[in-house]
Amino acid sequence: MLLLGLNGGLISASGPSSEASQGYLHDASACLLQEGQTLAAVEEERLNRLKKTDLFPVRAIQECLDIAGKTLSSIDAVCYYFEESFLDVALNKNYLANRDQKIKYARARIVEHLKSSFDFDLPDDKLFFVPHHVAHASSSFVRSGFRDALVVVIDGAGEDHSGTIFNASAAGLKPLATHSARNSLGAFYLHGTQMLGYTFGDEYKVMGLAPYGDKGRYGEIFESLFTLKPNGDYTLENTRDLNIGLTGYNFIAPAFLNAGFFPRRRNEPFTQLHADFAAGLQATLEKIILHVLKYWSQELSNPNLCFSGGVAHNSTLNGAILASNMFPKVFVHPASHDAGSAEGAALAVESKLSKGSLPHLRITTASLGPDIGSPAAISSRLDSWTDVIEFHRADDIVEESAGLLAEGAVIGWVQGRSEFGPRALGNRSILADARPGENKAKINDMVKKRESYRPFAPAVTSNAAKKYFDLPTPVADYRYMSFVVPVAEAYQSTLRATTHIDHTARVQIVYNDGYNELFHRLITRFGQLTGVPVLLNTSFNNNFEPIVQTIDDAVSCFLTTSLDVLVAGEYVVKRRYADESNLALLCPSLRKTTKLATETRIAGLDELSRRYFLQSEGRGSTGSEISEEIYNILQCADGRTPLNDILDRFQSVGDRSELIQETRTLWDRRLLDFRPAARGI
């Protein structure tokens, strides 16, 4: 049986701009499942380059089919990750608010997308809708490999619930309890995130800020926002009759406004008060969830735990769950957020159609996405960039890369199939020596272009993990960077680049088991050269884009950051230019989600003022005001003409080097694309 699992919005990139985005349909993805095995899984953002995209996953579907060598005509079922009735009610709200929209409900929209994008007519009896939390629970339980478990799903909301507790066994998922959307802990943490000047998708940043703060400063205020109740229940206060969804009323804000704590503004420096707020927010989340888990661990007599939903990516919380010793084994799926529910929807439908029990197929790798390509394909693509890079094929890529890392280089590392989920686990990574503390500052500031407080994860070989980290007693799968644990006291001063302010780290343990062999060899060889088999590992992207997928993505990120070296497959890549002038040999183009715009205002009597913008339409994206010169230049940016040639058309316009630098800044922010000029035959 071959099943296609889908997650994401019901609008397409080519849809009319009047179509309102549905904020809860985010992290679009596709998954191809056959007889319980995941053949391929990929998030749409890796392909359309829009972080947390809410578009229908057209590219992800095609990639899954290509990886598996299948076509849509061979699919037995298409499985979507929300209930049909819920989606139709939500669409109806859009239609009531937007009278010009053509009415078309969820089933018809999915069928239409598959027809328009793939010329495939999906039979009505092959389309299935799965309750959101059932999708989350199915992927978590099946991929844990446990025979039975307590499955806890906590997120912003799934249909009417923000939390669901299941008793899972071979017979299926038995719901035990639910928590309403008004008691959403996902929304609670999001609202705290918004108070710190961030937005949806930035919750992990708050988790990193929390250890710098004093959770007691605002403890009384946070305590006033919830009530713990018997039987693992709780209520959030001040949420009655309020819409507290992803875009609704922020119920945390009034209590803190009364205490003199105001929402942080974009680009406002972080203060100790902000850190104290983050600490209180994190502590409150942990207190409520541990209360829920304690009851159910006792009720089910010390079961194994599968934890899923967006909140399960809070790795500090996961570390606290391990430290509580409430469960003998704990599993967190590497794609516990909504992207992973595409797999869960397919697993749930497979179980239904086969009239069998849920399988127990433990996940052993998250590398389920598209491959970087053969050596010949990599070389061919790199060769097209040789106006701005130079590269060579290493005799031994592990030996050369380990030597570079031991000498202090920060490298981009691109190998094999991309990972499914938000973590880079050794195939789309930025790597560095985990020992020098200055590597943290360098990568945050010059490479990732993000806040200085943000921590980095250590990747360690399995035989050295217990030496460098204090792993709790419960059994957990540390392959996927899902748990924050204490760094062993003897090595806190050694691993300065990856030891957080509270002496913890979000550890990744790398095994020599055939699934991440090259990465294991690299860490092992680095350990032989330095005496410490631990590398700093963070995702290969800057702050404005998703993790890189292709060679072009990797080269673009390499050229717009301060990475020392790019390693792609067996090739070592370095920059060819010492300044920005060679950038003008590349061809600029607007992205599909950016457009030029002007604004004219009356500046005085008989005087008009005009401003120029490059606007972005992606989720959470912001545009940029640009100069008139750049506005005129970008009108000629067709992706085929080198920037030098465009500048030659405007010889009297501005300083050439300044114009090149301005376009470089727009590329840094991923508001523009640059690609090599086509080579003559």
Side-chain angles (χ1 to χ4, degrees):
M1 189 180 299
L2 187 65
L3 302 97
L4 177 65
L6 299 180
N7 159 54
L10 297 172
I11 59 176
S12 67
S14 59
S17 59
S18 61
E19 285 199 320
S21 169
Q22 294 166 279
Y24 49 85
L25 301 179
H26 47 82
D27 299 307
S29 67
C31 167
L32 201 60
L33 190 81
Q34 187 168 42
E35 310 304 334
Q37 295 283 356
T38 300
L39 304 180
V42 60
E43 294 186 61
E44 184 76 3
E45 69 165 26
R46 302 290 185 94
L47 308 169
N48 70 10
R49 311 308 297 156
L50 298 174
K51 294 177 80 169
K52 302 192 76 66
T53 184
D54 54 8
L55 300 178
F56 191 76
V58 172
R59 294 175 179 84
I61 293 171
Q62 187 62 63
E63 286 291 347
C64 286
L65 294 171
D66 290 346
I67 290 168
K70 306 291 185 180
T71 64
L72 280 176
S73 60
S74 60
I75 298 292
D76 294 296
V78 173
C79 319
Y80 196 76
Y81 76 128
F82 263 103
E83 288 182 332
E84 184 175 8
S85 59
F86 172 81
L87 294 167
D88 288 346
V89 169
L91 285 167
N92 221 42
K93 290 181 180 179
N94 279 347
Y95 298 143
L96 290 169
N98 300 277
R99 292 176 295 171
D100 294 329
Q101 283 188 22
K102 181 180 179 181
I103 291 180
K104 188 169 293 185
Y105 292 100
R107 181 173 293 269
R109 280 175 173 261
I110 293 172
V111 170
E112 181 180 69
H113 283 311
L114 296 177
K115 177 63 175 178
S116 62
S117 298
F118 302 97
D119 194 26
F120 174 69
D121 294 305
L122 177 66
D124 191 65
D125 62 353
K126 287 190 175 184
L127 178 56
F128 296 84
F129 294 84
V130 176
H132 188 62
H133 284 184
V134 170
H136 273 306
S138 297
S139 61
S140 183
F141 177 57
V142 170
R143 295 306 180 223
S144 72
F146 299 156
R147 304 301 299 180
D148 50 69
L150 173 70
V151 180
V152 177
V153 180
I154 300 177
D155 59 8
E159 287 92 20
D160 297 327
H161 305 124
S162 65
T164 306
I165 316 295
F166 297 92
N167 187 1
S169 66
L173 299 168
K174 178 183 177 181
L176 300 175
T178 60
H179 298 283
S180 71
R182 287 179 178 159
N183 288 314
S184 171
L185 293 176
F188 167 77
Y189 205 86
L190 170 61
H191 291 175
T193 299
Q194 292 169 338
M195 289 288 289
L196 290 169
Y198 289 129
T199 187
F200 173 67
D202 292 332
E203 291 88 344
Y204 65 100
K205 300 177 183 179
V206 178
M207 183 183 70
L209 179 62
Y212 290 91
D214 174 9
K215 66 181 181 181
R217 179 186 288 272
Y218 296 114
E220 288 188 13
I221 300 176
F222 277 110
E223 288 284 336
S224 73
L225 296 176
F226 69 94
T227 300
L228 300 182
K229 302 173 73 174
N231 301 326
D233 201 5
Y234 67 91
T235 56
L236 296 179
E237 306 301 331
N238 305 322
T239 65
R240 187 171 300 171
D241 299 325
L242 297 174
N243 172 16
I244 64 163
L246 297 180
T247 58
Y249 175 82
N250 188 313
F251 74 92
I252 289 178
F256 283 91
L257 176 63
N258 292 336
F261 183 91
F262 310 121
R264 175 181 165 268
R265 303 293 79 198
R266 188 197 304 272
N267 298 324
E268 177 186 345
F270 282 97
T271 67
Q272 187 59 48
L273 295 181
H274 295 128
D276 294 342
F277 178 93
L281 180 70
Q282 178 69 28
T284 302
L285 178 75
E286 292 177 18
K287 183 173 183 176
I288 297 172
I289 290 181
L290 289 174
H291 167 74
V292 174
L293 295 180
K294 181 178 180 180
Y295 172 78
W296 289 108
S297 70
Q298 295 172 347
E299 186 73 8
L300 271 63
S301 301
N302 203 31
N304 296 323
L305 173 67
C306 298
F307 188 28
S308 190
V311 175
H313 277 313
N314 190 308
S315 51
T316 301
L317 165 65
N318 297 343
I321 293 172
L322 286 183
S324 74
N325 290 314
M326 286 190 282
F327 305 96
K329 297 180 181 180
V330 178
F331 175 75
V332 177
H333 195 288
S336 286
H337 61 317
D338 275 10
S341 59
E343 180 190 45
L347 286 166
V349 171
E350 181 183 53
S351 178
K352 176 181 178 179
L353 294 179
S354 63
K355 296 182 173 59
S357 62
L358 288 170
H360 302 278
L361 302 173
R362 175 175 168 267
I363 187 172
T364 53
T365 179
S367 299
L368 299 168
D371 195 275
I372 199 65
S374 66
I378 295 171
S379 176
S380 175
R381 198 62 214 143
L382 290 175
D383 189 61
S384 69
W385 287 89
T386 49
D387 283 336
V388 289
I389 65 170
E390 56 188 23
F391 67 97
H392 68 271
R393 189 169 187 170
D395 293 331
D396 184 333
I397 197 62
V398 167
E399 185 69 27
E400 185 164 345
S401 299
L404 289 167
L405 289 163
E407 292 168 1
V410 179
I411 70 173
W413 175 263
V414 181
Q415 304 291 340
R417 295 177 68 176
S418 59
E419 300 94 343
F420 185 47
R423 316 291 190 205
L425 303 171
N427 281 6
R428 300 291 187 278
S429 292
I430 291 173
L431 304 175
D433 190 340
R435 297 172 300 165
E438 55 268 25
N439 274 351
K440 176 183 175 182
K442 176 181 179 180
I443 298 172
N444 267 329
D445 181 39
M446 301 175 66
V447 178
K448 302 285 279 189
K449 304 180 190 298
R450 67 185 199 180
E451 303 87 345
S452 61
Y453 70 80
R454 302 264 296 276
F456 291 107
V460 60
T461 55
S462 55
N463 60 333
K466 290 184 178 180
K467 174 180 178 180
Y468 292 95
F469 303 95
D470 292 335
L471 303 181
T473 300
V475 175
D477 195 336
Y478 294 96
R479 299 167 192 262
Y480 309 116
M481 287 189 190
S482 297
F483 302 94
V484 168
V485 301
V487 179
E489 185 176 0
Y491 294 100
Q492 291 170 7
S493 60
T494 301
L495 303 176
R496 287 171 292 158
T498 57
T499 298
H500 204 22
I501 189 70
D502 59 350
H503 310 302
T504 64
R506 178 165 50 89
V507 67
Q508 176 194 5
I509 298 179
V510 183
Y511 296 83
N512 185 23
D513 56 4
Y515 296 105
N516 219 343
E517 182 180 355
L518 189 68
F519 193 36
H520 185 275
R521 285 175 52 207
L522 178 66
I523 302 172
T524 299
R525 183 58 183 143
F526 176 81
Q528 292 168 349
L529 294 173
T530 65
V532 180
V534 184
L535 285 175
L536 180 157
N537 180 16
T538 188
S539 58
F540 192 172
N541 62 312
N542 75 12
N543 200 35
F544 298 99
E545 64 178 343
I547 300 174
V548 302
Q549 173 57 50
T550 65
I551 290 293
D552 284 344
D553 297 337
V555 173
S556 294
C557 191
F558 173 59
L559 292 175
T560 53
T561 61
S562 296
L563 286 171
D564 297 309
V565 177
L566 167 64
V567 175
E570 301 174 3
Y571 296 92
V572 178
V573 183
K574 297 184 179 181
R575 293 174 186 81
R576 183 179 292 279
Y577 62 87
D579 55 37
E580 302 294 340
S581 60
N582 278 26
L583 175 65
L585 299 172
L586 301 175
C587 305
S589 65
L590 299 183
R591 303 185 73 199
K592 291 182 178 180
T593 55
T594 56
K595 63 181 180 180
L596 293 166
T598 61
E599 178 185 279
T600 302
R601 292 183 176 181
I602 299 175
L605 291 176
D606 300 322
E607 184 179 351
L608 296 178
S609 171
R610 176 167 290 183
R611 300 169 67 191
Y612 302 87
F613 300 91
L614 185 56
Q615 296 178 338
S616 176
E617 297 178 344
R619 170 190 280 271
S621 299
T622 57
S624 176
E625 186 168 1
I626 58 178
S627 66
E628 181 180 1
E629 293 85 354
I630 288 295
Y631 177 87
N632 292 328
I633 288 167
L634 293 184
Q635 287 185 311
C636 303
D638 57 9
R640 300 184 302 274
T641 307
L643 180 58
N644 262 338
D645 293 356
I646 298 174
L647 291 172
D648 287 343
R649 302 176 191 175
F650 299 92
Q651 292 183 11
S652 62
V653 177
D655 179 89
R656 195 179 188 95
S657 62
E658 289 183 2
L659 294 173
I660 293 174
Q661 181 56 51
E662 188 173 351
T663 57
R664 159 64 192 262
T665 300
L666 295 172
W667 190 22
D668 287 353
R669 296 184 58 190
R670 298 302 183 260
L671 296 171
L672 279 183
D673 279 332
F674 273 91
R675 289 293 183 264
R679 301 290 176 88
I681 299 177

